[in-house]
Amino acid sequence: MSDPVFYMQEIGKPTTQPVKNLEADFSGMKYVSCKGLSTKGKPRIYSEVFPESNGSNYYIPDTPTVDTTDIEFVFAFIGVNRRDTFDNFYNYVLGKKILYWDTIRKRQAEIILSDKVEPSSDYLHGNSPYILATFKFTNINGLTTIKN
C-alpha cells in the first residue's frame, strides 16, 4: 500500500484552482488527524404541531437535505520555516470554498474554514522543532461523496 496523500483544491470563484497536495506543496506540513469527515448532517424535516390534534404533521421533501457538519483537521508544521508554512496554509484556506479528499477514505467534502486557528507552542522532536494546529471547517453539504 502506498503512503496516504491529502489534497485540497480551491473551487468556485471564478474558476477552480490547481490541486494542492498538502504535504508536498506546503513544505514541512504533516497530516496528523481528521475528526468528523464521516459525520452525516441532521436531516431537515419540517413539522407542525396543532393544539387541537394529537401527534405532529411532518413534511419530508422529495429530495432530502441535511444540515452542515463540522470537520477538524490537526496538522503539524515542522522545521525552521514551520511558522511561515503555517501562515501560508492559513492564507490558502482563509475565506475560500475548498474541496478536500484523500487516498485513505476516497471521500470528498466541500468545506470552509469556520473558526479561529491557534497554533500550539513550539515542541521539539529530536532536533526538529514543530507546532500543532487544529483547523475547524464546516462541511457545507453536511455529508461526503465518493471520490474516484
Side-chain angles (χ1 to χ4, degrees):
M1 183 174 161
S2 61
D3 289 338
V5 184
F6 309 93
Y7 298 101
M8 286 188 177
Q9 181 178 32
E10 181 184 353
I11 57 175
K13 61 177 199 184
T15 59
T16 299
Q17 299 299 308
V19 173
K20 296 277 189 183
N21 174 329
L22 298 183
E23 293 185 354
D25 292 330
F26 295 96
S27 180
M29 180 177 168
K30 298 292 180 199
Y31 171 94
V32 175
S33 66
C34 173
K35 182 172 86 174
L37 190 65
S38 297
T39 302
K40 307 295 185 198
K42 178 183 173 184
R44 294 180 184 152
I45 298 172
Y46 175 74
S47 66
E48 293 179 320
V49 177
F50 297 101
E52 65 274 2
S53 66
N54 291 325
S56 300
N57 292 329
Y58 291 94
Y59 169 73
I60 301 172
D62 293 334
T63 304
T65 59
V66 296
D67 289 340
T68 63
T69 58
D70 296 322
I71 298 175
E72 288 186 12
F73 292 97
V74 177
F75 296 108
F77 298 89
I78 303 166
V80 294
N81 295 321
R82 64 197 172 283
R83 297 211 177 262
D84 292 338
T85 302
F86 166 80
D87 289 343
N88 289 339
F89 179 70
Y90 176 79
N91 289 331
Y92 173 71
V93 298
L94 180 63
K96 297 173 185 148
K97 185 176 174 182
I98 301 287
L99 182 65
Y100 169 82
W101 72 98
D102 59 49
T103 59
I104 300 170
R105 293 168 280 254
K106 295 180 175 58
R107 307 292 293 174
Q108 64 185 8
E110 293 181 14
I111 58 176
I112 56 171
L113 185 66
S114 58
D115 205 351
K116 65 183 176 183
V117 181
E118 295 184 55
S120 67
S121 299
D122 287 281
Y123 297 106
L124 282 177
H125 184 267
N127 289 329
S128 297
Y130 70 95
I131 56 174
L132 295 173
T134 300
F135 287 78
K136 296 178 183 179
F137 291 88
T138 296
N139 179 347
I140 61 177
N141 294 316
L143 46 83
T144 59
T145 56
I146 296 170
K147 178 70 174 178
N148 295 323

